[in-house]
Amino acid sequence: MDGIADMGGTQGWGPVHPPKRDEPVFAEDWQRKAFALAILSIRAANGGINTDAFRHALERLDRAHYIDDGYFGRLLNAGELMLTERAVLAPGAIEARARNLRGEHVPEPPVTEPVRPHYAPTAEGSLRSLETAPAFGVGQRVRARAVSVPGHTRLPGYVRGRAGVVEIIQPAHVLPDTNAHFLGENPQYVYSVRFDSHELWGSDAESFTLTVEMYESYLESTA
Amino acid sequence: MTTTTRGHDEPPSVALRTEALEQLLTERGLIDPKVMNGIITQYETTVGPLNGAKVVARAWTDPEYRHRLLEDGTAAIKELGFGGFQGEHIVAVANTPTTHHVVVCTLCSCYPWPVLGLPPSWYKDPAYRARVVREPRTVLSEMGLELDDEVQVVVHDSTSEVRWLVLPERPAGTEHLTEEELVPLVTRDAMVGVAKAAAP
């Protein structure tokens, strides 16, 4: 989907922040539990670890829930979205409890009956082996499909319709586009495709090259 | 963000919402505090850029290991005992005097957790995610790394489960140092490609 998470090449963010030495992993105390709870929420909501479903929850957050709470807040908010969609928690349950924690007296919604997806990964992780041969070869010129899909995808907007060259054929992986929606693993080869900066950003762009990992169905051969 | 009392119209802070979620999941028997604390310990103390630094220092001192690392990063990294979640398949690329690699994830903040731990704040910053695929030389300059015009810049956008590790150049004047002595010179930033490994 074309959501807030697809940031590559977008403008208006201001300067980058130079690295700080000895930055702690968790700058604030709550971030420790927010991180762990987000990971645990993936399993609690779905009955298993499906990071594609989690990333799809992340990309559906509105701007405030994605940006304003920072990285760990964003993970927490995505966890809440998944838990609510699977009726593990009722809408508003977290806010009501949080208000009561700070001394308010608000009614909390009743406990709901979870409706979890049927999730049966064929193996741990995302690597899979395929009997078939890769459709594209190293050195082959390919084009990223110029498509916009309503659901989850890992095809960034800024490479769609652009041509590049296959640099590395990576092992086959579970396809996020279907796995995120619990519609099957559909493992595919992944290709590191190298693009020239001028193909992506025009003739005035800085000179550099860029590789992006593309699942096989994201690519078409160029004539 | 603070958790002190606010007006009731203020939405609860993210810290309070974290506490609320912990309570709700615990009451429903969906999380085990031991497991939760184990995850925190794992990523706060066990796993971090020291792992990657050991890989780099080995590659700097053992040419055969370096070759294996660049041929099959996952297997070479596993030789040192590192791998797993968010590092199932790792590709290592070597920076040289003429080629400079730098890594980003524009779609979220994918990062090779088993060798580098959780990403630093600058890596998760929208400005970095958005801009380094469009104007990497400008971004690197803002981060304090000036590259000569003739150096080729290669950006790696880790959009899939493939993870990238940059093997920085060994700093000049470190020929007399042992593998162990080299480890502290290898910074997280150098292994993502926004800095160079510095001489001691």
Side-chain angles (χ1 to χ4, degrees):
Chain A
M1 61 177 280
D2 305 327
I4 190 170
D6 187 4
M7 289 183 166
T10 59
Q11 295 174 301
W13 298 105
V16 294
H17 299 94
K20 285 175 281 190
R21 282 188 82 83
D22 303 323
E23 177 187 310
V25 177
F26 302 107
E28 297 181 42
D29 199 38
W30 63 269
Q31 294 174 344
R32 292 180 174 81
K33 283 184 176 175
F35 170 71
L37 287 168
I39 290 183
L40 293 169
S41 292
I42 303 175
R43 187 182 293 279
N46 302 307
I49 296 286
N50 183 330
T51 48
D52 299 314
F54 186 64
R55 293 197 185 109
H56 187 47
L58 278 165
E59 69 186 349
R60 288 181 293 137
L61 296 174
D62 63 29
R63 187 184 171 86
H65 286 91
Y66 194 91
I67 300 281
D68 297 352
D69 293 332
Y71 176 75
F72 293 107
R74 171 188 315 158
L75 299 186
L76 184 83
N77 295 334
E80 176 176 6
L81 177 60
M82 287 194 312
L83 292 165
T84 308
E85 286 178 337
R86 299 301 178 189
V88 176
L89 296 179
I94 293 177
E95 175 165 350
R97 178 61 61 90
R99 285 181 180 277
N100 289 332
L101 279 170
R102 71 177 182 192
E104 294 180 47
H105 298 282
V106 300
E108 298 195 16
V111 173
T112 46
E113 189 60 38
V115 184
R116 294 191 176 91
H118 176 69
Y119 182 47
T122 61
E124 274 190 40
S126 59
L127 284 170
R128 298 291 183 267
S129 39
L130 285 179
E131 302 283 316
T132 52
F136 304 103
V138 170
Q140 188 172 345
R141 198 165 162 78
V142 291
R143 186 178 299 279
R145 290 183 188 275
V147 291
S148 177
V149 297
H152 185 57
T153 188
R154 298 294 286 178
L155 174 58
Y158 73 92
V159 299
R160 294 179 196 167
R162 308 296 178 182
V165 174
V166 172
E167 182 158 289
I168 307 172
I169 302 174
Q170 308 284 7
H173 286 76
V174 169
L175 180 69
D177 304 45
T178 51
N179 193 51
H181 301 279
F182 300 91
L183 295 173
E185 295 188 342
N186 292 310
Q188 296 186 358
Y189 289 104
V190 172
Y191 302 82
S192 296
V193 177
R194 191 185 281 242
F195 295 89
D196 184 87
S197 61
H198 303 102
E199 166 75 2
L200 298 175
W201 308 115
S203 54
D204 292 338
E206 286 183 13
S207 289
F208 65 97
T209 59
L210 175 142
T211 70
V212 180
E213 273 71 60
M214 310 283 273
Y215 292 83
E216 193 164 274
S217 58
Y218 296 176
L219 294 173
E220 56 195 10
S221 54
T222 57
Chain B
M1 201 161 291
T2 157
T3 57
T4 52
T5 313
R6 297 174 170 184
H8 286 188
D9 51 335
E10 283 268 343
S13 68
V14 66
L16 267 183
R17 286 191 284 119
T18 302
E19 202 178 328
L21 178 59
E22 181 189 4
Q23 285 191 1
L24 292 167
L25 292 180
T26 305
E27 286 166 12
R28 285 159 176 72
L30 291 169
I31 56 167
D32 177 345
K34 273 189 203 156
V35 175
M36 184 177 71
N37 290 327
I39 293 172
I40 295 168
T41 306
Q42 166 88 351
Y43 290 103
E44 188 161 35
T45 53
T46 312
V47 172
L50 180 60
N51 291 358
K54 289 175 180 169
V55 171
V56 170
R58 173 70 56 89
W60 281 350
T61 51
D62 180 344
E64 287 179 12
Y65 183 78
R66 176 190 164 94
H67 182 76
R68 292 202 296 281
L69 179 67
L70 296 175
E71 285 292 307
D72 183 348
T74 317
I77 288 165
K78 200 177 175 186
E79 286 179 39
L80 300 195
F82 312 130
F85 192 53
Q86 293 301 308
E88 285 181 83
H89 188 77
I90 302 177
V91 180
V93 280
N95 279 347
T96 70
T98 54
T99 303
H100 185 87
H101 298 271
V102 58
V103 182
V104 65
C105 169
T106 59
L107 295 175
C108 32
S109 299
C110 294
Y111 195 71
W113 290 8
V115 278
L116 296 184
L118 297 185
S121 54
W122 59 261
Y123 187 86
K124 302 175 285 194
D125 182 20
Y128 181 78
R129 287 169 52 185
R131 293 180 54 210
V132 78
V133 295
R134 186 168 183 146
E135 43 180 356
R137 287 174 186 275
T138 306
V139 166
L140 291 173
S141 172
E142 286 175 27
M143 298 182 85
L145 178 62
E146 303 287 349
L147 296 172
D148 291 340
D149 287 345
E150 58 267 28
V151 174
Q152 296 203 359
V153 175
V154 187
V155 181
H156 301 279
D157 187 358
S158 22
T159 49
S160 78
E161 297 298 336
V162 174
R163 296 287 174 269
W164 295 83
L165 179 71
V166 174
L167 173 57
E169 289 175 81
R170 180 169 176 170
T174 60
E175 294 75 13
H176 61 290
L177 297 182
T178 64
E179 180 181 336
E180 211 167 44
E181 291 167 333
L182 287 166
V183 168
L185 306 185
V186 188
T187 62
R188 164 175 63 199
D189 302 335
M191 292 183 280
V192 187
V194 300
K196 294 192 177 202

